[in-house]
Amino acid sequence: MVHVLSSRILLRPTDPDRSRAFYGGRLGLPVYREFGTGPERGTVYFLGGGFLEVAGRSDIPPSPALKLWLQVADVTGAYEELRAAGVEVIRPPVTEPWGLVEMWIADPDGTEIVLVEVPADHPLRYRPGI
């Protein structure tokens, strides 16, 4: 069995500066570490229990099959903040049939990002026996 100590998503953007401006500036993700030099240097952002590494460059955008799922405490507050920061919202907050409140945005390469709020009464917050 693999014993995972840490995790991160590796993202190779088509325009690293533009992606760093999006993730660090518009989304306001805090920086865990930076490495290298020049336009393709790496920046690792905190993503709750994991990390997002934006480094290098790709000639093609990431696969549309790649999605980022980010849980936030208040998706409506995130919606207002992101709109004020000029982030295009693909879909505003909606309570889904499964009970989560979700909104969708996309990064500059079109990678879709779902911001999710787990309501206090949702089964994801219920842990039997605890």
Side-chain angles (χ1 to χ4, degrees):
M1 178 171 208
V2 176
H3 181 74
V4 178
L5 300 176
S6 180
S7 65
R8 70 175 64 172
I9 298 163
L10 306 176
L11 192 61
R12 304 292 179 250
T14 59
D15 183 336
D17 285 333
R18 181 179 69 176
S19 290
R20 276 192 297 276
F22 176 80
Y23 286 104
R26 289 187 162 176
L27 289 191
L29 297 179
V31 173
Y32 169 66
R33 71 179 291 253
E34 296 179 292
F35 58 92
T37 59
E40 296 176 18
R41 69 190 178 278
T43 304
V44 181
Y45 298 97
F46 282 105
L47 281 184
F51 300 96
L52 172 67
E53 178 180 313
V54 176
R57 178 186 302 269
S58 176
D59 293 332
I60 58 171
S63 165
L66 173 69
K67 313 285 188 222
L68 299 179
W69 190 94
L70 307 178
Q71 183 179 345
V72 298
D74 176 12
V75 77
T76 302
Y79 172 73
E80 296 300 331
E81 288 178 32
L82 293 173
R83 285 187 53 216
V87 174
E88 180 183 355
V89 175
I90 296 171
R91 196 186 75 179
V94 172
T95 301
E96 298 292 355
W98 46 90
L100 299 176
V101 183
E102 300 182 0
M103 71 175 258
W104 289 81
I105 61 174
D107 81 358
D109 281 329
T111 299
E112 291 182 335
I113 303 166
V114 58
L115 288 106
V116 178
E117 178 182 336
V118 180
D121 62 347
H122 192 276
L124 284 176
R125 292 193 184 248
Y126 176 68
R127 297 180 61 191
I130 295 180

